[in-house]
Amino acid sequence: MRWDHLRLDGGDAGPEPPLIERGAVARTFDTPGFRGMTFYEVRARTVVNKVPEASRMPFRWTINPYRGCSHACVYCFARKTHEYLDMDAGADFDSRIVVKVNAAERVRAELASPRWRGEHIALGANVDCYQRAEGRYRLMPGILAALRDAANPFSVLTKGTLILRDLPILREAARRTAVSAAVSVGSVDPQLWRSAEPGTPPPRRRLAVCRTLNEAGIGCGVLMGPVIPYLSDSPAQLDAAVRQIAEAGATWVSAITLHLRPGAREWFMAWLRAHHPELIVPYARLYGAGAYAPREYQDAIARQVRDLAARYGIGDRAAHRPPPPPPRPDPPRQLSLL
């Protein structure tokens, strides 16, 4: 399991109680933006986490100051990780957020360790570090300041607009080390956004973030993900998305097709039954062999987006080194959707 390093096992001493039973402070807030949500404030032992060796991610280290995410994206691959806290991968993941309140001090301490080799660190690789809770807890300024002071290279992936709050620190860091950013925009369809990503800012606002970051000298591309089969994958929909990404000044664009790992799969399929019941059978055919769509389908999407990027003049993807598509299994039989 890719996220086994997030388990709360007690090692030789035997299993420990769930994280939220080990002295965490639970808080709720009455403000409309946080109504119905619970925050568990914990003090983490480590915050700079190593990516499992089996992963094909282009980075080896991540920082995730939160667990759970109020963006509530129905397809989020990280949902399964909430089960390690004895919480469910559905509504709990969206509304019961673990906050590592000492994240900034831990980052500073871990970067100062003689064992640390100054490798690239990816922020936002699991859940969004600029989700709604960040507006209250303000963990990212301290984390970015620690990375800046250590001149440690890093990148940030987000669906949030709050990253612009920290633009001064990002610019300071970029004068000392390699800093890059990416916003995630899988579709520019407003109806699909409202239904599938209800806690996120609208796609147009995310693309405005991309433009602002690039104008400020922070190279920013767009991870066009996920492209959702039957809902955002038509030639016209892909064209509209890439055109608007180009208009936002993105330095690169890379498409990633929806994948449905355990935890995310069950939650997404429940959403699909409620909102698009006519797609249940097609999805059973498309994803019946596992978490990934057939390779031929993924390649067709990637090829169309590359061609559109070239048409609209978006910079060369390889030159900017965004995250690649996820690892793919051996392809099942080809399906024709396009």
Side-chain angles (χ1 to χ4, degrees):
M1 173 65 68
R2 179 180 167 196
W3 299 107
D4 275 349
H5 68 298
L6 297 177
R7 290 188 183 277
L8 297 173
D9 298 331
D12 295 338
E16 295 180 357
L19 178 67
I20 59 174
E21 294 180 8
R22 281 191 271 149
V25 176
R27 298 189 190 278
T28 58
F29 305 109
D30 292 333
T31 52
F34 297 110
R35 193 160 295 140
M37 300 183 65
T38 302
F39 299 92
Y40 301 95
E41 299 175 358
V42 304
R43 298 189 65 82
R45 293 188 297 271
T46 61
V47 175
V48 182
N49 295 313
K50 189 174 182 179
V51 175
E53 295 293 340
S55 172
R56 300 184 194 178
M57 291 296 174
F59 47 81
R60 297 180 64 238
W61 299 92
T62 65
I63 292 174
N64 293 290
Y66 302 97
R67 292 177 66 170
C69 186
S70 59
H71 284 344
C73 301
V74 296
Y75 49 74
C76 183
F77 71 90
R79 288 184 173 277
K80 181 72 173 177
T81 64
H82 237 45
E83 295 179 2
Y84 304 157
L85 308 179
D86 283 356
M87 292 189 271
D88 71 56
D92 283 352
F93 181 86
D94 300 338
S95 63
R96 300 174 70 183
I97 312 299
V98 176
V99 183
K100 302 173 185 177
V101 293
N102 64 333
E105 65 185 74
R106 288 307 311 154
V107 170
R108 192 170 290 276
E110 290 168 49
L111 296 185
S113 169
R115 296 187 297 274
W116 179 246
R117 295 292 180 257
E119 295 184 58
H120 177 95
I121 298 176
L123 294 90
N126 188 24
V127 300
D128 203 318
C129 48
Y130 282 107
Q131 61 176 284
R132 202 178 311 157
E134 173 60 17
R136 175 172 288 270
Y137 284 99
R138 298 183 61 87
L139 301 182
M140 285 298 292
I143 292 171
L144 296 177
L147 291 162
R148 174 201 62 196
D149 295 346
N152 201 99
F154 66 91
S155 59
V156 182
L157 172 64
T158 184
K159 282 188 173 81
T161 58
L162 195 55
I163 188 174
L164 296 183
R165 179 201 64 192
D166 296 337
L167 188 52
I169 305 176
L170 290 168
R171 296 182 70 177
E172 291 171 0
R175 287 194 285 268
R176 304 190 60 182
T177 189
V179 176
S180 62
V183 295
S184 176
V185 180
S187 166
V188 293
D189 181 339
Q191 292 185 332
L192 182 60
W193 158 67
R194 289 189 187 95
S195 180
E197 304 171 341
T200 65
R204 59 180 175 76
R205 290 182 56 197
R206 289 178 245 165
L207 292 177
V209 167
C210 178
R211 176 176 294 282
T212 300
L213 287 172
N214 278 307
E215 289 174 348
I218 307 299
C220 184
V222 173
L223 180 62
M224 193 171 156
V227 175
I228 304 178
Y230 302 105
L231 295 175
S232 65
D233 66 346
S234 73
Q237 289 168 318
L238 296 176
D239 184 279
V242 177
R243 175 172 49 80
Q244 291 188 40
I245 289 168
E247 291 169 354
T251 57
W252 56 265
V253 59
S254 179
I256 180 172
T257 303
L258 175 73
H259 53 281
L260 296 174
R261 295 175 182 159
R265 186 184 188 103
E266 295 82 359
W267 193 246
F268 177 85
M269 294 305 292
W271 171 83
L272 200 68
R273 281 192 295 273
H275 296 272
H276 301 281
E278 74 283 1
L279 295 181
I280 293 297
V281 172
Y283 264 78
R285 291 197 298 264
L286 192 62
Y287 288 92
Y292 297 92
R295 180 173 302 193
E296 292 87 347
Y297 174 75
Q298 297 187 56
D299 288 346
I301 294 294
R303 183 171 57 252
Q304 287 187 80
V305 171
R306 283 196 302 268
D307 291 346
L308 289 165
R311 179 191 306 173
Y312 289 114
I314 299 176
D316 177 59
R317 174 184 180 274
H320 300 279
R321 301 183 64 182
R328 297 172 300 192
D330 291 332
R333 68 184 187 280
Q334 180 175 0
L335 299 180
S336 178
L337 277 74
L338 305 175

